[in-house]
């Protein structure tokens, strides 16, 4: 079938088709080199998601989605147009396996995404269990499973979840016992620790650049900062001696300014939310450490990727 609508998310391209009757369909991720879209209409994705919100995020999310429409294809309908402008960020989050961001983007534009429920469900299906856990257990303002019907319906079969005979927590515990899962979770209690996400030494890297070499050097500095954040050692491990919560899971990250000075060492930055930590610890009580890395960093949140 001829490509009709393409959504570019950085170097990743996704294909949609639109039938003569107006039916929008998702054809999946394109492999190979970027397609030739000469003469196509180009639209910028909605600004409801912007990398400018963040101090650090992975390369796959550090982009502005673009929509390319083939000549003669009509996307002027209100629902189709809104969906195409907003779906790029969701596609990128799922592609990067950022379960928390995928879930939050879905909640943020729930009405738009549910106007094409089958497409949205198909896009999120492979990550549905992780999205459901991040939304219902990971966030402080957690969502009830009934608030995310598309995610719940996709995850129900994978979890073998029957609310008449078990709780959602029990379903997750059984799932984590049987298989490895990787999800993104925000840390709580970060205000109790002094870890500085952007110390002075990083904020002023561009201060002394001359105008004639500003662009070239600024690009090198941005790349170096990104790679520096990506290199930060992140440790997530059980804290059974915690007097407030025997199921506590603590996260620590290398001190940024100390690392720049050549001094190694981890600093406490926060905890996994208690309800999420309890499910993880009950599923695998003998596992004390978890594979982890820094996923995203903003002025409000530290988000880690954890494999259980």
């Amino acid at each position: 079938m001829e490509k009709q609508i393409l959504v570019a998310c950085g170097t990743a391209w996704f294909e949609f088709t639109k039938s003569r009757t107006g039916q929008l369909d998702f054809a999946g991720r394109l492999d190979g080199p970027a397609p030739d879209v000469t003469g196509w209409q180009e639209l910028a994705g909605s600004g409801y998601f912007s990398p400018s919100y963040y101090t650090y995020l992975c390369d796959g999310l550090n982009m502005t989605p673009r929509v390319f429409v083939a000549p003669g294809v009509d996307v002027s309908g209100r629902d189709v147009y809104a969906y195409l402008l907003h779906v790029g960020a969701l596609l990128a989050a799922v592609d990067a396996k950022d379960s928390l961001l995928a879930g939050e983007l879905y909640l943020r534009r729930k009405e738009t995404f549910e106007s094409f429920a089958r497409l949205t469900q198909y896009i999120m299906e492979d990550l549905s269990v992780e999205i459901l856990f991040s939304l219902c257990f990971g966030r402080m303002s957690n969502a009830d499973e009934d608030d995310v019907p598309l995610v719940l319906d996709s995850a129900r079969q994978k979890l073998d979840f029957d609310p008449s005979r078990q709780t959602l927590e029990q379903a997750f515990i059984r799932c984590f016992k049987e298989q490895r899962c990787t999800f993104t979770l925000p840390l709580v209690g970060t205000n109790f620790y002094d870890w500085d996400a952007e110390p002075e030494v990083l904020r002023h890297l561009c201060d002394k650049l001359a105008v004639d070499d500003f662009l070239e050097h600024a690009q090198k500095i941005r790349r170096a900062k990104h790679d520096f954040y990506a290199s930060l050692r992140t440790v997530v491990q059980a804290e059974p001696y915690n007097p407030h919560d025997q199921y506590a899971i603590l996260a620590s990250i290398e001190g940024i300014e100390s690392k720049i000075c050549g001094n190694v060492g981890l600093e406490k930055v926060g905890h996994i939310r208690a309800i999420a930590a309890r499910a993880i610890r009950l599923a695998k009580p003998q596992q004390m450490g978890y594979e982890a890395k820094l996923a995203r960093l903003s002025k409000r949140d530290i988000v880690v990727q954890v494999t259980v």
Side-chain angles (χ1 to χ4, degrees):
M1 180 180 296
E2 183 181 356
K3 301 178 182 67
Q4 298 183 37
I5 304 167
L6 298 176
V7 178
C9 302
T11 59
W13 290 73
F14 302 89
E15 178 186 354
F16 288 83
T17 60
K18 186 170 180 284
S19 68
R20 293 181 180 178
T21 60
Q23 177 68 37
L24 191 67
D25 200 8
F26 178 57
R29 196 183 199 273
L30 295 180
D31 295 323
D36 182 8
V37 289
T38 304
W40 291 38
Q41 181 180 188
E42 179 178 349
L43 305 167
S46 171
Y48 84 122
F49 165 80
S50 172
S52 63
Y53 301 155
Y54 301 92
T55 300
Y56 166 77
L57 75 171
C58 70
D59 281 331
L61 294 172
N62 192 4
M63 53 81 217
T64 298
R66 296 175 295 159
V67 181
F68 294 89
V69 184
V73 177
D74 181 10
V75 295
S76 62
R78 176 185 179 276
D79 290 343
V80 170
Y81 183 66
Y83 189 82
L84 290 173
L85 292 191
H86 288 89
V87 75
L90 180 63
L91 286 165
V94 171
D95 197 54
K97 300 191 183 306
D98 191 326
S99 55
L100 178 66
L101 181 59
E104 290 180 332
L105 293 174
Y106 161 63
L107 284 177
R108 200 178 302 172
R109 288 294 182 268
K110 186 177 177 182
E111 182 179 353
T112 296
F113 287 131
E114 291 188 352
S115 65
F116 293 88
R118 184 178 63 84
L119 291 186
T120 304
Q121 196 167 30
Y122 180 75
I123 289 168
M124 296 191 297
E125 185 174 12
D126 288 344
L127 202 63
S128 58
V129 170
E130 292 84 353
I131 293 173
L132 189 64
F133 186 74
S134 294
L135 290 182
C136 295
F137 285 70
R139 299 164 81 232
M140 281 303 295
S141 53
N142 63 302
D144 186 271
E145 58 262 33
D146 294 331
D147 296 331
V148 288
L150 299 186
V151 181
L152 179 63
D153 286 346
S154 294
R156 190 189 301 272
Q157 186 174 0
K158 294 183 177 183
L159 287 171
D160 190 22
F161 175 51
D162 181 355
S164 67
R165 59 181 175 84
Q166 63 181 173
T167 65
L168 187 58
E169 181 189 44
Q170 290 170 333
F172 277 123
I173 291 172
R174 189 183 67 255
C175 175
F176 297 159
K177 284 181 178 179
E178 297 171 350
Q179 57 186 301
R180 281 165 58 92
C181 291
T182 300
F183 31 70
T184 46
L185 298 171
L187 300 182
V188 300
T190 55
N191 55 306
F192 294 113
Y193 301 102
D194 295 328
W195 188 75
D196 190 352
E198 195 173 8
E200 288 288 320
V201 65
L202 290 184
R203 284 198 291 269
H204 297 292
L205 284 176
C206 294
D207 285 358
K208 296 182 179 180
L209 294 184
V211 174
D212 56 353
D213 63 4
F214 183 84
L215 182 60
E216 177 185 353
H217 285 254
Q219 288 175 337
K220 291 180 180 179
I221 288 171
R222 284 198 299 271
R223 185 71 248 176
K225 284 182 66 176
H226 176 277
D227 292 345
F228 179 80
Y229 278 110
S231 74
L232 291 174
R233 185 184 176 210
T234 302
V235 172
V236 175
Q237 61 189 40
E239 197 181 33
Y241 46 81
N242 188 309
H244 305 291
D245 182 4
Q246 63 177 318
Y247 301 115
I249 296 178
L250 174 70
S252 302
I253 301 177
E254 283 185 292
I256 293 178
E257 196 159 8
S258 297
K259 183 169 183 173
I260 292 173
C261 294
N263 301 324
V264 298
L266 296 168
E267 297 180 13
K268 295 180 181 180
V269 295
H271 286 80
I272 302 298
R273 188 181 176 222
I275 187 174
R278 171 186 161 88
I280 293 170
R281 294 283 289 120
L282 288 175
K284 296 179 178 177
Q286 293 184 341
Q287 183 174 354
M288 308 305 286
Y290 309 93
E291 183 182 332
K293 67 178 183 179
L294 180 63
R296 279 184 285 122
L297 191 62
S298 70
K299 293 180 180 179
R300 297 186 305 139
D301 297 313
I302 302 172
V303 178
V304 295
Q305 184 184 77
V306 182
T307 299
V308 176

